Amino acid sequence: MKFRLLLLAALLVAVIPADARKRPQKFSHQTFDIPAVQPRVIDVETSGTQLVLQVDAKGTVRTVHYGAPAGDPAQFMEFDAGGQHNFSAPTTYPTAGGTFNGLDALHVKYSDGSQNTELYYTSHEVQVRDGITTTTVHLKDYVTSLEADLIYDACVPEDVILMHAVIRNCGKKAVELRNAASASLNLPAGKYLLTHFYGGWATEMQMDQTILTHDTKVIETRRGTQATQGNNPSFMLSPGGTYSETDGEAIAGALAWSGNFRISFEIDQSDRLNIVSGINPFASAYPLRAGDSFTTPEMIYTWSGEGAGGASRNMHRWARKYGVWKGGQVNPTLLNSWEGAYFTFATETLLRMIDDAASMGLEMFVLDDGWFGLEHPRNSDKAGLGDWEVNTDKIPEGIDYVAKYAHSKGLKFGIWIEPEMVNPDSNLAAAHPEWIVQSPGRDIYMSRNQWLLDLTNPAVQDFVFGVFDRTVSLSPDIDYIKWDSNRRVMSFGSPYLGDEQDRFFIEYVQGLYNVCRRMREKYPDIIVQCCSSGGNRVDYGSMRWFNEVWTSDNTDAISRTRIQWGTSLVYPPCVMGSHVSAVPNHQTGNVTPLKFRFDVASSGRLGMELQPKTLTDEERALADRCIRSYKGYRDLVFNGDLYRLSSPYEGDFYSLMYVSPDRRRAVVFCYCLRFQNHSIGGHVFRLRGLDPALKYRVTEQNVDGSCWWGDGRTFSGSFLSGGGFNPVFREADTSAVFLLEAV
Ligand code: DGJ
């Protein structure tokens, strides 16, 4: 034993260099000089909002203001951003490390294992182009050579500011991005009411509200796909502590990302609110090689002094111009085959539905699921996904025949695909098992009898684009594609990524966007609906490629009031596919009058989703009237300003209206959701957005005699807003729609 110890000592003496042996080993430490900078403010303005960043002499950048225009930004030089008196105040893009212990926007692990990053201002520049002012703030970590650009795109007339970051590894070795948020917004101490959106299948975008308290409230998903089932990456914040449609400050925020997201709201020790939003770092320590950069998705913010209604209108205006593919384009009314035929149809069924759609004045027929799969026919959700050839047993004449028939009747033609998915019972699953999302040695769990294709793999991206491309090539008369996606990620993993599984969640979404980019380069004019078991991919990441969304599989008009109200807080009504379906409703069993169903669906992009043969002559006549009148005011639904008047979450009456930009026309929707007392007079709805000095002629639409108020009369804008609008309802599930035109 003694001999062995002596031998070990001798060996150590031999391998440790002589000078190191003299003194104890020390952790090498060298500090870098951070060049001083001229203190300054950086001003980001829109026509009605202002964001101000303050740079101190050390180069620390802090957000000192976001909200109402506050005049000369130089005044904010005097603001105590927390730098002098509170060493631990968050910076504009807080990093893990330095003196800060709160929520980080950036967390990097370096090759030596260290995880501290300190970003300091180096310079900034401003570019102005057509309605958008872009401010880029350059930050640098002097120890690791990591650089970050914070980019603020101020959409000036819309009062929207987009924020994102570009992280550059300017060091010599690879690093790991453990978190790279899109933005961090710091707001002063106060009482904040957060409105956010939760849901499940058929209950999307339900409003939930909470007063933010100390510590952190997180809204997030880890579902990978169907990312907005559960929570939506958007919110409405009321800095006054109470929600108002009309008054006080409101901030709406939305992340443009269709995968895992995380938005954290931290009230810190100083009562400030720090909102950090971006890709969810869950299982995503993203590798960044030397010289590489990572661009985060955009976080979209708007502020309004006119309550949540004002913030929504800003967001909608921005979305119609920038956030939605051809936003504001008036998309056709349609009949969708799903709830009318499901998987059971033949050519004849489709032709008769087309005839009926044409006779009711609809403008498009959409053939939903069930038209494909030869060896594995898609007669239920158990087979066929992946095999995108026409099922000639059902449609021997082919898709072109049906599409041409629709066109011959004056209708456009659309068709359904679900290109990211595969049924085990398909040729594709047998041919390409390596394309399926899976983790070695584990079950590939099924959901709706299907598996998910691995969009991180470029070969899968080619396949998915090919599905779109080949489907469109089935006929020159295809005008519309419904792109569905009916499952989430489980037991995540990509055979393609090998041992770099940290890239999976991020590169799945990037792969999806690559396909969408190719789709739009080749097919800019095809109308594409984004569907994911209803509204489970409703986010501004996908909407930049899609014309509209299938708001929910729940077509029950009563359920839709809440879903559509919630959706409208952040997303524009022009994207909301909204269909009249049969009763009892297939999702809820509720029975509501046809007029009520039409009046609810008409506040979005109107469609029908039933077998028209089941309608009586009287119902068809009503359908015809409703569709005709919708065509007369739908420009307002697509491009008008939305005013939400009374909430389906709060009372017995629900109401909303759209006003034209010149305020000369408006359409008002009023619904009675619960009727309690015959002795109470009609509910008074105070209209908004009208010109008080103008006189408006009121014309009731979709009349069936269930309600009447003011039809053919003329009232002043000030009366309609101050006195109010007083339709008389005598039953639950009744409704009225009024067109207002300035005379
Ligand atoms: C889910 C969609 O949300 C429905 O509208 C329908 O297209 C089905 N998928 C078809 O499988």
Side-chain angles (χ1 to χ4, degrees):
M1 181 65 182
K2 208 173 181 184
F3 172 73
R4 275 200 209 145
L5 282 175
L6 279 173
L7 188 66
L8 187 64
L11 274 173
L12 281 175
V13 168
V15 292
I16 299 174
D19 58 339
R21 260 180 270 143
K22 280 185 218 140
R23 52 191 162 76
Q25 277 291 288
K26 260 198 190 163
F27 190 64
S28 121
H29 188 80
Q30 183 191 1
T31 54
F32 286 73
D33 285 337
I34 298 163
V37 296
Q38 184 68 41
R40 68 190 71 207
V41 287
I42 300 170
D43 186 41
V44 178
E45 282 186 28
T46 68
S47 48
T49 69
Q50 194 172 11
L51 172 78
V52 183
L53 313 180
Q54 190 191 72
V55 186
D56 69 16
K58 197 178 173 191
T60 304
V61 186
R62 291 197 165 90
T63 305
V64 283
H65 177 72
Y66 177 54
D72 179 2
Q75 298 170 98
F76 282 100
M77 288 295 286
E78 301 306 316
F79 244 59
D80 175 14
Q84 295 153 24
H85 303 301
N86 189 347
F87 204 40
S88 62
T91 59
T92 287
Y93 196 65
T95 53
T99 61
F100 180 61
N101 303 113
L103 285 180
D104 58 80
L106 183 68
H107 179 183
V108 184
K109 183 175 176 190
Y110 298 94
S111 60
D112 62 0
S114 66
Q115 297 187 36
N116 274 262
T117 302
E118 291 181 37
L119 292 173
Y120 295 102
Y121 171 92
T122 58
S123 64
H124 77 279
E125 75 248 353
V126 180
Q127 278 176 344
V128 183
R129 71 195 140 97
D130 215 15
I132 301 183
T133 307
T134 300
T135 305
T136 305
V137 182
H138 302 285
L139 307 173
K140 178 175 174 131
D141 182 310
Y142 286 93
V143 175
T144 63
S145 299
L146 191 95
E147 293 183 2
D149 289 345
L150 307 184
I151 296 135
Y152 300 87
D153 286 305
C155 303
V156 177
E158 292 80 21
D159 284 333
V160 164
I161 299 178
L162 274 56
M163 306 180 189
H164 77 280
V166 178
I167 313 300
R168 266 192 308 279
N169 180 5
C170 300
K172 293 198 167 57
K173 293 191 175 152
V175 303
E176 202 175 85
L177 285 185
R178 297 200 148 189
N179 183 25
S182 298
S184 162
L185 184 65
N186 320 120
L187 298 168
K191 187 175 176 193
Y192 292 92
L193 175 77
L194 173 69
T195 303
H196 59 105
F197 310 97
Y198 74 96
W201 175 75
T203 56
E204 295 89 337
M205 295 300 283
Q206 304 292 305
M207 274 170 68
D208 213 346
Q209 295 188 320
T210 183
I211 289 282
L212 294 172
T213 55
H214 290 97
D215 207 358
T216 305
K217 161 87 183 166
V218 176
I219 53 176
E220 65 168 343
T221 188
R222 298 170 181 217
R223 300 173 60 90
T225 50
Q226 285 193 322
T228 69
Q229 190 178 95
N231 296 308
N232 191 275
S234 63
F235 60 87
M236 183 73 72
L237 191 70
S238 310
T242 46
Y243 181 95
S244 166
E245 277 292 330
T246 48
D247 301 309
E249 294 187 59
I251 294 171
L255 183 73
W257 185 246
S258 308
N260 290 348
F261 65 86
R262 186 174 74 177
I263 305 179
S264 307
F265 303 82
E266 180 192 43
I267 302 271
D268 67 15
Q269 293 167 5
S270 311
D271 294 342
R272 281 176 304 228
L273 172 60
N274 310 313
I275 310 170
V276 178
S277 50
I279 293 175
N280 196 325
F282 165 68
S284 301
Y286 199 77
L288 203 58
R289 287 187 305 253
D292 280 1
S293 64
F294 182 81
T295 302
T296 73
E298 280 160 336
M299 182 68 195
I300 304 144
Y301 271 114
T302 186
W303 175 93
S304 170
E306 291 176 21
S312 297
R313 286 188 290 280
N314 291 347
M315 207 57 137
H316 297 170
R317 268 195 292 270
W318 170 82
R320 289 195 297 261
K321 189 158 176 195
Y322 301 107
V324 175
W325 186 264
K326 299 205 180 201
Q329 168 183 289
V330 172
N331 293 321
T333 55
L334 60 89
L335 174 67
N336 178 296
S337 68
W338 181 239
E339 287 195 26
Y342 291 108
F343 294 104
T344 312
F345 53 82
T347 308
E348 190 57 19
T349 329
L350 306 178
L351 302 190
R352 296 297 71 83
M353 287 177 103
I354 289 170
D355 289 341
D356 287 331
S359 76
M360 290 187 293
L362 293 167
E363 297 158 310
M364 179 157 69
F365 176 72
V366 178
L367 171 54
D368 209 282
D369 201 350
W371 59 268
F372 54 91
L374 265 180
E375 287 162 58
H376 307 270
R378 180 82 171 159
N379 293 328
S380 74
D381 60 18
K382 292 194 172 60
L385 282 178
D387 300 352
W388 295 99
E389 64 280 295
V390 183
N391 180 338
T392 43
D393 288 340
K394 283 185 186 173
I395 317 175
E397 301 83 354
I399 295 300
D400 185 46
Y401 177 80
V402 183
K404 285 219 156 41
Y405 187 80
H407 274 224
S408 76
K409 296 284 167 179
L411 297 190
K412 294 182 186 300
F413 181 77
I415 191 164
W416 179 97
I417 55 172
E418 192 181 2
E420 296 156 77
M421 304 289 166
V422 59
N423 283 120
D425 192 2
S426 67
N427 289 337
L428 181 70
H432 285 293
E434 80 286 7
W435 282 5
I436 295 161
V437 169
Q438 58 194 282
S439 183
R442 299 187 190 281
D443 273 352
I444 312 179
Y445 295 109
M446 284 215 276
S447 177
R448 209 195 186 212
N449 305 303
Q450 66 199 51
W451 289 329
L452 178 66
L453 295 178
D454 173 15
L455 266 175
T456 68
N457 183 341
V460 174
Q461 294 173 26
D462 287 345
F463 172 81
V464 172
F465 173 71
V467 172
F468 189 97
D469 200 26
R470 278 196 310 278
T471 306
V472 174
S473 324
L474 290 172
S475 166
D477 290 340
I478 289 180
D479 306 289
Y480 175 103
I481 294 281
K482 174 174 174 178
W483 177 318
D484 207 345
S485 170
N486 285 303
R487 65 160 288 169
R488 65 189 166 97
V489 176
M490 286 183 261
S491 200
F492 64 93
S494 155
Y496 171 75
L497 291 174
D499 62 3
E500 295 198 25
Q501 297 298 318
D502 272 320
R503 288 162 44 192
F504 174 74
F505 281 113
I506 292 175
E507 292 189 8
Y508 185 98
V509 180
Q510 290 171 338
L512 173 70
Y513 293 163
N514 286 344
V515 175
C516 291
R517 190 170 298 111
R518 289 167 72 182
M519 166 181 96
R520 280 322 188 178
E521 275 161 16
K522 190 156 177 191
Y523 300 108
D525 296 328
I526 290 214
I527 303 166
V528 191
Q529 182 187 68
C530 180
C531 174
S532 176
S533 306
N536 298 305
R537 197 179 254 167
V538 175
D539 62 73
Y540 280 121
S542 58
M543 273 184 217
R544 71 175 52 143
W545 310 110
F546 291 87
N547 301 72
E548 62 171 33
V549 300
W550 179 222
T551 320
S552 175
D553 269 356
N554 191 336
T555 53
D556 177 357
I558 297 174
S559 308
R560 275 299 184 116
T561 59
R562 285 174 168 234
I563 294 170
Q564 293 179 185
W565 174 284
T567 305
S568 80
L569 257 75
V570 177
Y571 303 104
C574 65
V575 301
M576 277 192 237
S578 190
H579 296 177
V580 174
S581 62
V583 289
N585 181 267
H586 293 194
Q587 291 76 41
T588 63
N590 283 333
V591 176
T592 51
L594 185 61
K595 173 176 160 57
F596 184 76
R597 282 175 271 153
F598 261 106
D599 287 353
V600 171
S602 297
S603 66
R605 194 274 294 132
L606 173 67
M608 292 182 80
E609 187 159 334
L610 43 65
Q611 172 50 271
K613 267 208 291 289
T614 58
L615 298 175
T616 63
D617 286 350
E618 201 185 329
E619 287 174 326
R620 289 172 78 106
L622 177 64
D624 186 83
R625 268 206 315 281
C626 292
I627 294 163
R628 199 160 354 104
S629 66
Y630 176 76
K631 289 178 188 165
Y633 60 73
R634 67 176 161 187
D635 59 305
L636 300 168
V637 176
F638 277 82
N639 284 303
D641 282 329
L642 169 68
Y643 291 83
R644 291 177 294 258
L645 304 179
S646 58
S647 166
Y649 289 82
E650 279 167 10
D652 296 348
F653 297 94
Y654 163 46
S655 182
L656 68 157
M657 64 187 286
Y658 299 97
V659 183
S660 64
D662 64 3
R663 302 203 287 172
R664 296 189 63 81
R665 288 171 71 243
V667 59
V668 185
F669 297 86
C670 307
Y671 311 90
C672 175
L673 303 179
R674 200 164 63 137
F675 186 71
Q676 305 196 74
N677 188 344
H678 278 84
S679 64
I680 295 179
H683 185 77
V684 174
F685 299 96
R686 297 221 154 80
L687 305 193
R688 289 205 293 274
L690 300 176
D691 183 338
L694 284 178
K695 287 211 177 331
Y696 295 89
R697 183 184 307 111
V698 175
T699 319
E700 191 181 348
Q701 310 288 296
N702 307 350
V703 185
D704 75 345
S706 62
C707 159
W708 184 91
W709 190 82
D711 190 30
R713 301 272 308 278
T714 297
F715 303 97
S716 68
S718 57
F719 171 78
L720 293 169
S721 317
F725 209 71
N726 179 222
V728 179
F729 296 106
R730 289 273 174 247
E731 255 179 88
D733 305 337
T734 52
S735 52
V737 180
F738 303 91
L739 183 63
L740 271 50
E741 290 164 301
V743 291

